[in-house]
Amino acid sequence: MIDESAMDKSLGTTLPILLRNKVAEIPNYTLQAVKNKSGVFVRYSYSQVYQHVIELASSLKKMGVKKGDHVGLISDNRREWLITDYALLSLGAADVPRGCDSMGVEIRFILGFADCKISFFENARQLQKVLEKVEELPLLKTAILYEHPDEKTVAQAKEAGIEVINYSLLESEGTAVTKEEWLDIEKGMEEIQPDDVATIIFTSGTTGLPKGVQLTHDNYIAQCEVAHKVLGLMQPGDIWLTVLPIWHSFERAFCYMVIGLRGGFAYSKPIASVMLQDMALVQPQWMNGVPRLWEALAQGLFREVKKQDAIHKSAFYNFVAIGKLYYKFKERVCGLRCRYHWYPRFLDVIIGIIPFCLLWPFHRLGEMLVYKKILAKFGGKFRAAISGGGALQPETEAFYHAIGFKLLEGYGMTETAPVISVKNSKKPRSNNVGWVFPSLDVKVVAEKDGQVADDAPLKPGKRGLIMVKGRQIMKGYYKRDDLTQAIIDKDGWLNTGDLGMISYDEELKIVGRAKDTIVLLGGENIEPQVIEKAVNASPYIERTVVVGQDKKYVAALIVPDQQNVLSYAEENNILYDNYEELLETNEIQNLFRTEIDALDNAKTGFRTCERIFKFVLLTKPFEIGMEINAKQELMRHKIVKLYKKEYNSLFE
């Protein structure tokens, strides 16, 4: 239910005004912290960043960038990305972003389809992806590079009719901005309307060509206005460690929300060793991450413990087990347990109070001996972190709960800019993806084949199709009104395509994708994501792809966790010549059969038809752009094609 009283209307109606207002309030607070070549984080204040924004906007305006233009932004996370984004927004232009891991065919399609005449590129390698088939981009005339290009690339671009400009040149030219030019840019900010497009983010998609999601200033401002209700633990001056792709809607929306809440950013990499080192230097209070990142960090900690002596190893495992059990009863006593079937809360307290009290002293001992040391690795000042972009494994979530690290799961989609729900930082309950943002209406309805069968909202605990409505809903797909009408109905309700249910305390739970449903020959409907999530809990499994459409049974393509498999082989003296041969050994095949059967069975809630009957171990991890998209989602149609031989072997 949309809650107008929860909205902070002092932020401004557009993103440039939001930044300008915060600069006036907190000019000397840190907005960006960037690591220099010496490994030291250099901090930039709100006023410094704003000055860089105005200076770049001045240079771009002289180049002819104006309101309504679409400008490419092909780069990974860096200080210049935010400055470029805000410079373009200040002129009323919309950026068209993408990361450096994108293939040339994607970049060319996106820049061409969005009619970009100018594009920023991180380096010459990204520009080369365009130059491979430059004839596909007849409109592109200017390329601005953050890093200095080589002469060969500049000459090649010139021959293709594209002028290459160094970002540093625009920076230096911008320093000459006059007071009149500065005021003129700020005057232009006032002319931008909330409904104007701020960005066009092309979804990687799990099927078909990328679709350009048009997100407006108001789509983002709507979330900024209510962020304080969900991120209640955030304090002015808090620093967020940013590791996820900034161009993606999840990280980007939080970027604007953090500014609205007077915080700042420190830039790092989603590599455990680099990230932990940066955490020690910056001591951040918050960060966003995808489930695989949290799983990798947890597994890394367990690998470290395995190398220790028996006493330390035993203490770690025992106190983590105690921590999990303690949190389980704490949930009951403190009202942190989701209710999908109604019952009075006091029953939870009655069940949990005695074990909770008995475990408390052991948990306190664990804090002193084990948990505190683990939390110190994260910088020691974390208030909370947010996991999004996929389902968080219950076992992973339980581990972080056990050590006292507040990990909040969230849910959303690019078309909703993107946050639909996030667990409340003050009262996070397990077994859901959080409270619905107060800026949105959400309902769960009966469905058939991914379409609405009855638009009446279902009662709490009833499974159905998740529909959302509100100011966060995209303006539409660029140049694709047909696709827009297919996903948003005449009353403004957007079909997320996700299956879920609402709890009695208004939290949202995801149970699968409507269009991913597998129908077996016997007519049984199978939700592959539920099985995949369960099986992925194994430390030996990195990815699972459940298949079986129109077959007698379900099977799986599995990407093993190579490091853990190799460790298992070493510990059990398994002889092999190479990794591919190791995966075929009886010992490893039996290991995976045992792991799958332990996680996918009647006791864990799966029907006989939902058991993985056969599996194949794949030798290589999935790559972005091949088997998974930028959001780490499985591109099932491509996977079946790429592994056709393995797929066929499962049903011989």
Side-chain angles (χ1 to χ4, degrees):
M1 180 70 71
I2 293 175
D3 182 2
E4 294 286 344
S5 66
M7 297 179 182
D8 179 359
K9 294 294 183 180
S10 69
L11 301 178
T13 57
T14 65
L15 295 171
I17 299 300
L18 166 67
L19 177 61
R20 192 182 72 181
N21 288 348
K22 292 305 165 186
V23 170
E25 285 179 36
I26 48 167
N28 299 318
Y29 277 43
T30 297
L31 179 51
Q32 291 182 306
V34 185
K35 195 158 55 174
N36 62 19
K37 292 179 181 178
S38 302
V40 177
F41 275 90
V42 178
R43 294 176 179 253
Y44 297 85
S45 69
Y46 269 75
S47 60
Q48 286 174 313
V49 173
Y50 187 64
Q51 181 170 339
H52 293 150
V53 166
I54 297 295
E55 289 173 353
L56 181 59
S58 173
S59 295
L60 292 173
K61 188 173 183 179
K62 289 171 183 174
M63 284 176 57
V65 176
K66 61 186 185 302
K67 186 177 180 181
D69 283 354
H70 299 161
V71 178
L73 183 43
I74 314 301
S75 172
D76 288 336
N77 298 21
R78 55 191 298 147
R79 180 184 72 86
E80 296 89 347
W81 200 102
L82 183 70
I83 293 167
T84 303
D85 177 43
Y86 259 109
L88 292 169
L89 292 172
S90 298
L91 296 174
D95 52 52
V96 183
R98 201 66 171 185
C100 292
D101 56 10
S102 300
M103 295 182 291
V105 64
E106 283 183 303
I107 292 173
R108 292 192 300 273
F109 172 80
I110 288 165
L111 296 181
F113 193 79
D115 308 310
C116 296
K117 298 175 184 176
I118 299 173
S119 181
F120 287 79
F121 296 91
E122 179 155 321
N123 49 38
R125 176 69 193 98
Q126 306 314 313
L127 178 56
Q128 281 291 346
K129 292 177 182 178
V130 165
L131 298 178
E132 286 169 4
K133 291 187 179 180
V134 72
E135 65 275 7
E136 295 178 10
L137 293 169
L139 293 179
L140 187 64
K141 298 301 177 187
T142 306
I144 302 167
L145 270 64
Y146 291 137
E147 297 174 9
H148 288 280
D150 57 274
E151 292 181 6
K152 182 181 176 182
T153 300
V154 174
Q156 192 179 345
K158 186 176 181 181
E159 189 178 336
I162 297 174
E163 181 186 9
V164 177
I165 298 173
N166 290 341
Y167 177 85
S168 57
L169 178 65
L170 295 183
E171 271 191 316
S172 59
E173 287 179 351
T175 57
V177 63
T178 64
K179 185 178 180 181
E180 289 74 21
E181 289 170 336
W182 185 302
L183 292 173
D184 189 49
I185 290 167
E186 290 193 322
K187 182 182 176 183
M189 292 179 187
E190 302 285 353
E191 297 171 4
I192 300 166
Q193 298 301 309
D195 196 42
D196 287 343
V197 175
T199 186
I200 303 176
I201 299 177
F202 280 79
T203 63
S204 301
T206 52
T207 58
L209 290 170
K211 295 172 287 189
V213 178
Q214 299 177 96
L215 298 176
T216 68
H217 289 260
D218 193 52
N219 289 155
Y220 287 116
I221 291 293
Q223 294 168 91
C224 294
E225 288 179 352
V226 298
H228 65 282
K229 295 291 289 185
V230 177
L231 302 176
L233 289 180
M234 187 170 170
Q235 302 294 319
D238 277 1
I239 296 294
W240 286 65
L241 195 74
T242 176
V243 297
L244 296 184
I246 188 63
W247 67 269
H248 188 260
S249 58
F250 174 43
E251 186 75 6
R252 188 166 178 177
F254 275 92
C255 162
Y256 302 134
M257 283 188 260
V258 170
I259 290 173
L261 293 169
R262 295 174 286 181
F265 315 98
Y267 296 89
S268 185
K269 301 282 184 185
I271 302 165
S273 57
V274 175
M275 204 169 72
L276 292 172
Q277 191 178 48
D278 290 344
M279 284 176 174
L281 292 171
V282 179
Q283 295 184 309
Q285 285 82 19
W286 298 80
M287 72 174 285
N288 290 328
V290 292
R292 284 302 303 163
L293 179 63
W294 302 115
E295 289 161 20
L297 282 171
Q299 287 171 9
L301 289 168
F302 277 92
R303 278 195 293 269
E304 274 186 38
V305 170
K306 279 186 178 181
K307 298 172 186 176
Q308 296 178 4
D309 60 63
I311 294 174
H312 284 90
K313 210 185 297 186
S314 176
F316 177 86
Y317 287 122
N318 286 331
F319 279 117
V320 167
I322 288 168
K324 288 179 181 179
L325 199 57
Y326 171 80
Y327 192 83
K328 184 179 177 182
F329 289 109
K330 180 183 176 181
E331 285 182 320
R332 288 186 178 274
V333 173
C334 299
L336 300 177
R337 200 163 180 263
C338 261
R339 297 182 299 172
Y340 295 106
H341 303 285
W342 192 88
Y343 61 86
R345 280 276 180 210
F346 73 83
L347 292 178
D348 275 337
V349 178
I350 293 170
I351 293 168
I353 191 66
I354 293 175
F356 173 74
C357 292
L358 291 174
L359 286 166
W360 182 83
F362 297 102
H363 181 262
R364 285 290 296 159
L365 190 60
E367 280 185 332
M368 291 185 283
L369 298 177
V370 176
Y371 312 149
K372 199 178 281 187
K373 292 177 183 177
I374 299 173
L375 295 175
K377 293 178 182 291
F378 297 101
K381 291 188 177 180
F382 257 97
R383 298 191 205 284
I386 296 171
S387 178
L392 186 64
Q393 291 295 334
E395 189 62 25
T396 303
E397 186 178 25
F399 167 73
Y400 285 103
H401 284 327
I403 64 172
F405 185 95
K406 193 168 283 188
L407 185 57
L408 312 170
E409 193 168 5
Y411 160 70
M413 57 191 297
T414 305
E415 288 84 349
T416 60
V419 185
I420 293 174
S421 65
V422 174
K423 289 182 183 177
N424 189 296
S425 61
K426 290 184 177 179
K427 199 169 187 178
R429 293 194 177 98
S430 299
N431 196 25
N432 68 84
V433 290
W435 285 346
V436 174
F437 253 42
S439 51
L440 275 175
D441 265 333
V442 171
K443 65 179 180 179
V444 175
V445 301
E447 61 88 28
K448 185 177 181 182
D449 299 326
Q451 296 302 316
V452 178
D454 186 335
D455 62 6
L458 296 174
K459 292 180 179 179
K462 298 293 184 182
R463 190 186 104 159
L465 191 63
I466 299 171
M467 306 286 287
V468 296
K469 180 181 181 180
R471 284 167 54 198
Q472 288 174 224
I473 305 303
M474 67 172 178
K475 195 165 188 175
Y477 294 117
Y478 185 60
K479 294 182 182 176
R480 292 303 304 265
D481 287 342
D482 57 328
L483 296 178
T484 304
Q485 291 168 13
I487 195 173
I488 303 174
D489 69 19
K490 57 182 176 59
D491 297 317
W493 287 98
L494 181 142
N495 181 346
T496 66
D498 288 315
L499 299 174
M501 60 180 73
I502 299 285
S503 77
Y504 278 87
D505 299 291
E506 298 185 356
E507 298 111 345
L508 190 61
K509 180 178 181 179
I510 310 299
V511 299
R513 283 286 295 171
K515 291 183 180 179
D516 286 342
T517 301
I518 293 170
V519 182
L520 298 180
L521 275 179
E524 302 95 338
N525 282 13
I526 308 292
E527 300 302 336
Q529 288 186 335
V530 180
I531 305 171
E532 289 161 0
K533 183 177 180 180
V535 174
N536 286 346
S538 166
Y540 301 104
I541 295 175
E542 184 175 302
R543 293 271 187 179
T544 306
V545 185
V546 170
V547 292
Q549 179 65 34
D550 299 324
K551 304 295 183 182
K552 292 180 181 179
Y553 53 83
V554 294
L557 299 163
I558 292 176
V559 178
D561 186 303
Q562 186 170 345
Q563 196 164 3
N564 284 346
V565 169
L566 292 174
S567 296
Y568 179 86
E570 185 181 341
E571 291 165 8
N572 291 274
N573 301 313
I574 301 172
L575 300 175
Y576 62 95
D577 289 329
N578 53 57
Y579 180 63
E580 290 76 12
E581 184 184 294
L582 173 63
L583 294 182
E584 294 299 323
T585 61
N586 288 333
E587 293 93 335
I588 296 301
Q589 290 288 318
N590 289 336
L591 168 67
F592 277 85
R593 184 73 267 172
T594 302
E595 289 289 305
I596 291 167
D597 291 346
L599 295 163
D600 180 18
N601 58 55
K603 289 182 179 178
T604 54
F606 291 100
R607 299 171 292 166
T608 302
C609 62
E610 293 173 318
R611 316 279 173 78
I612 294 174
F613 184 64
K614 294 175 76 175
F615 65 90
V616 169
L617 301 181
L618 305 178
T619 58
K620 294 180 181 178
F622 287 167
E623 296 178 22
I624 291 176
M626 294 295 290
E627 298 94 347
I628 55 177
N629 62 24
K631 292 193 289 183
Q632 301 283 319
E633 294 171 330
L634 298 172
M635 295 196 279
R636 296 176 188 275
H637 69 296
K638 288 188 70 175
I639 290 170
V640 172
K641 288 180 182 177
L642 287 168
Y643 299 97
K644 189 175 181 180
K645 180 181 175 183
E646 291 84 352
Y647 175 84
N648 290 337
S649 73
L650 292 168
F651 302 102
E652 288 176 347

